[in-house]
mmCIF file of all heavy atoms in Angstrom:
data_model
loop_
_atom_site.group_PDB
_atom_site.id
_atom_site.type_symbol
_atom_site.label_atom_id
_atom_site.label_comp_id
_atom_site.label_asym_id
_atom_site.label_seq_id
_atom_site.Cartn_x
_atom_site.Cartn_y
_atom_site.Cartn_z
ATOM 1 N N GLY A 420 28.006 5.862 21.228
ATOM 2 C CA GLY A 420 28.348 6.809 22.249
ATOM 3 C C GLY A 420 29.187 7.976 21.867
ATOM 4 O O GLY A 420 29.616 8.816 22.604
ATOM 5 N N SER A 421 29.449 8.115 20.511
ATOM 6 C CA SER A 421 30.239 9.214 20.020
ATOM 7 C C SER A 421 29.491 10.477 20.170
ATOM 8 O O SER A 421 28.305 10.551 20.154
ATOM 9 C CB SER A 421 30.474 9.065 18.512
ATOM 10 O OG SER A 421 31.285 8.026 18.122
ATOM 11 N N THR A 422 30.295 11.584 20.403
ATOM 12 C CA THR A 422 29.727 12.962 20.296
ATOM 13 C C THR A 422 30.407 13.590 19.174
ATOM 14 O O THR A 422 31.630 13.564 19.014
ATOM 15 C CB THR A 422 29.919 13.697 21.622
ATOM 16 O OG1 THR A 422 29.283 12.996 22.657
ATOM 17 C CG2 THR A 422 29.405 15.098 21.552
ATOM 18 N N VAL A 423 29.655 14.261 18.319
ATOM 19 C CA VAL A 423 30.241 15.020 17.175
ATOM 20 C C VAL A 423 29.910 16.513 17.447
ATOM 21 O O VAL A 423 28.778 16.921 17.654
ATOM 22 C CB VAL A 423 29.706 14.546 15.894
ATOM 23 C CG1 VAL A 423 30.224 15.480 14.701
ATOM 24 C CG2 VAL A 423 30.007 13.121 15.646
ATOM 25 N N GLY A 424 31.047 17.310 17.486
ATOM 26 C CA GLY A 424 30.843 18.760 17.862
ATOM 27 C C GLY A 424 30.073 19.490 16.691
ATOM 28 O O GLY A 424 30.248 19.145 15.506
ATOM 29 N N GLY A 425 29.271 20.414 17.119
ATOM 30 C CA GLY A 425 28.525 21.255 16.127
ATOM 31 C C GLY A 425 29.419 21.752 15.023
ATOM 32 O O GLY A 425 30.538 22.123 15.303
ATOM 33 N N GLY A 426 28.875 21.846 13.905
ATOM 34 C CA GLY A 426 29.578 22.427 12.740
ATOM 35 C C GLY A 426 30.691 21.566 12.163
ATOM 36 O O GLY A 426 31.446 22.010 11.312
ATOM 37 N N SER A 427 30.791 20.293 12.534
ATOM 38 C CA SER A 427 31.835 19.394 12.015
ATOM 39 C C SER A 427 31.429 18.757 10.642
ATOM 40 O O SER A 427 30.240 18.421 10.430
ATOM 41 C CB SER A 427 32.037 18.199 13.019
ATOM 42 O OG SER A 427 32.563 18.752 14.212
ATOM 43 N N THR A 428 32.401 18.702 9.850
ATOM 44 C CA THR A 428 32.257 17.874 8.568
ATOM 45 C C THR A 428 33.034 16.598 8.840
ATOM 46 O O THR A 428 34.188 16.616 9.012
ATOM 47 C CB THR A 428 32.791 18.623 7.344
ATOM 48 O OG1 THR A 428 31.966 19.834 7.102
ATOM 49 C CG2 THR A 428 32.727 17.706 6.116
ATOM 50 N N ILE A 429 32.287 15.456 8.985
ATOM 51 C CA ILE A 429 32.874 14.254 9.355
ATOM 52 C C ILE A 429 33.040 13.279 8.136
ATOM 53 O O ILE A 429 32.033 12.930 7.520
ATOM 54 C CB ILE A 429 32.046 13.480 10.460
ATOM 55 C CG1 ILE A 429 31.846 14.406 11.684
ATOM 56 C CG2 ILE A 429 32.575 12.120 10.772
ATOM 57 C CD1 ILE A 429 33.152 14.622 12.482
ATOM 58 N N SER A 430 34.269 13.063 7.708
ATOM 59 C CA SER A 430 34.459 12.096 6.621
ATOM 60 C C SER A 430 35.152 10.878 6.968
ATOM 61 O O SER A 430 35.397 9.989 6.159
ATOM 62 C CB SER A 430 35.196 12.852 5.509
ATOM 63 O OG SER A 430 36.371 13.418 6.019
ATOM 64 N N LYS A 431 35.634 10.730 8.213
ATOM 65 C CA LYS A 431 36.317 9.527 8.741
ATOM 66 C C LYS A 431 35.578 8.989 9.997
ATOM 67 O O LYS A 431 34.891 9.744 10.732
ATOM 68 C CB LYS A 431 37.747 9.873 9.253
ATOM 69 C CG LYS A 431 38.623 10.285 8.104
ATOM 70 C CD LYS A 431 40.128 10.219 8.427
ATOM 71 C CE LYS A 431 40.821 11.453 8.974
ATOM 72 N NZ LYS A 431 40.804 12.769 8.198
ATOM 73 N N ASP A 432 35.578 7.660 10.082
ATOM 74 C CA ASP A 432 34.823 7.029 11.197
ATOM 75 C C ASP A 432 35.267 7.661 12.490
ATOM 76 O O ASP A 432 36.412 8.018 12.686
ATOM 77 C CB ASP A 432 35.102 5.494 11.206
ATOM 78 C CG ASP A 432 34.520 4.894 10.005
ATOM 79 O OD1 ASP A 432 33.832 5.506 9.160
ATOM 80 O OD2 ASP A 432 34.746 3.634 9.808
ATOM 81 N N THR A 433 34.377 7.712 13.463
ATOM 82 C CA THR A 433 34.694 8.253 14.806
ATOM 83 C C THR A 433 34.809 7.132 15.739
ATOM 84 O O THR A 433 34.140 6.165 15.660
ATOM 85 C CB THR A 433 33.631 9.347 15.244
ATOM 86 O OG1 THR A 433 32.450 8.550 15.566
ATOM 87 C CG2 THR A 433 33.351 10.360 14.209
ATOM 88 N N PRO A 434 35.687 7.293 16.760
ATOM 89 C CA PRO A 434 35.807 6.295 17.837
ATOM 90 C C PRO A 434 34.650 6.346 18.854
ATOM 91 O O PRO A 434 34.065 7.411 19.016
ATOM 92 C CB PRO A 434 37.157 6.592 18.507
ATOM 93 C CG PRO A 434 37.334 8.090 18.233
ATOM 94 C CD PRO A 434 36.576 8.397 16.948
ATOM 95 N N ALA A 435 34.353 5.186 19.486
ATOM 96 C CA ALA A 435 33.242 5.115 20.408
ATOM 97 C C ALA A 435 33.488 5.927 21.625
ATOM 98 O O ALA A 435 34.647 6.149 22.100
ATOM 99 C CB ALA A 435 33.035 3.663 20.760
ATOM 100 N N GLY A 436 32.444 6.614 22.114
ATOM 101 C CA GLY A 436 32.495 7.203 23.409
ATOM 102 C C GLY A 436 33.271 8.494 23.499
ATOM 103 O O GLY A 436 33.502 8.971 24.601
ATOM 104 N N GLN A 437 33.795 9.010 22.415
ATOM 105 C CA GLN A 437 34.615 10.222 22.470
ATOM 106 C C GLN A 437 34.014 11.398 21.719
ATOM 107 O O GLN A 437 33.200 11.205 20.892
ATOM 108 C CB GLN A 437 35.976 9.848 21.919
ATOM 109 C CG GLN A 437 36.681 8.774 22.760
ATOM 110 C CD GLN A 437 38.088 8.486 22.238
ATOM 111 O OE1 GLN A 437 38.854 9.491 22.072
ATOM 112 N NE2 GLN A 437 38.388 7.273 22.055
ATOM 113 N N LEU A 438 34.565 12.576 21.996
ATOM 114 C CA LEU A 438 34.129 13.745 21.246
ATOM 115 C C LEU A 438 35.010 13.901 20.025
ATOM 116 O O LEU A 438 36.229 13.914 20.063
ATOM 117 C CB LEU A 438 34.284 15.024 22.161
ATOM 118 C CG LEU A 438 34.015 16.429 21.459
ATOM 119 C CD1 LEU A 438 32.640 16.505 20.958
ATOM 120 C CD2 LEU A 438 34.454 17.535 22.372
ATOM 121 N N THR A 439 34.410 14.074 18.891
ATOM 122 C CA THR A 439 35.118 14.401 17.668
ATOM 123 C C THR A 439 34.671 15.662 17.164
ATOM 124 O O THR A 439 33.370 15.954 17.011
ATOM 125 C CB THR A 439 34.853 13.273 16.571
ATOM 126 O OG1 THR A 439 35.251 12.039 17.164
ATOM 127 C CG2 THR A 439 35.615 13.580 15.336
ATOM 128 N N VAL A 440 35.594 16.557 16.839
ATOM 129 C CA VAL A 440 35.287 17.859 16.274
ATOM 130 C C VAL A 440 36.102 18.028 15.020
ATOM 131 O O VAL A 440 37.222 17.793 14.962
ATOM 132 C CB VAL A 440 35.678 18.993 17.280
ATOM 133 C CG1 VAL A 440 35.235 20.350 16.756
ATOM 134 C CG2 VAL A 440 35.051 18.745 18.639
ATOM 135 N N ALA A 441 35.443 18.434 13.989
ATOM 136 C CA ALA A 441 36.119 18.656 12.666
ATOM 137 C C ALA A 441 35.711 20.042 12.096
ATOM 138 O O ALA A 441 34.883 20.029 11.223
ATOM 139 C CB ALA A 441 35.847 17.529 11.728
ATOM 140 N N ARG A 442 36.288 21.080 12.678
ATOM 141 C CA ARG A 442 36.013 22.380 12.211
ATOM 142 C C ARG A 442 37.162 23.353 12.556
ATOM 143 O O ARG A 442 38.019 22.923 13.392
ATOM 144 C CB ARG A 442 34.722 22.937 12.892
ATOM 145 C CG ARG A 442 34.826 23.082 14.390
ATOM 146 C CD ARG A 442 33.583 23.701 14.998
ATOM 147 N NE ARG A 442 33.794 23.881 16.404
ATOM 148 C CZ ARG A 442 32.936 23.409 17.308
ATOM 149 N NH1 ARG A 442 31.968 22.667 17.020
ATOM 150 N NH2 ARG A 442 33.250 23.657 18.566
#
Side-chain angles (χ1 to χ4, degrees):
S421 293
T422 299
V423 175
S427 293
T428 295
I429 300 293
S430 52
K431 294 199 266 303
D432 293 355
T433 69
Q437 297 183 49
L438 170 66
T439 301
V440 185
R442 62 176 184 237

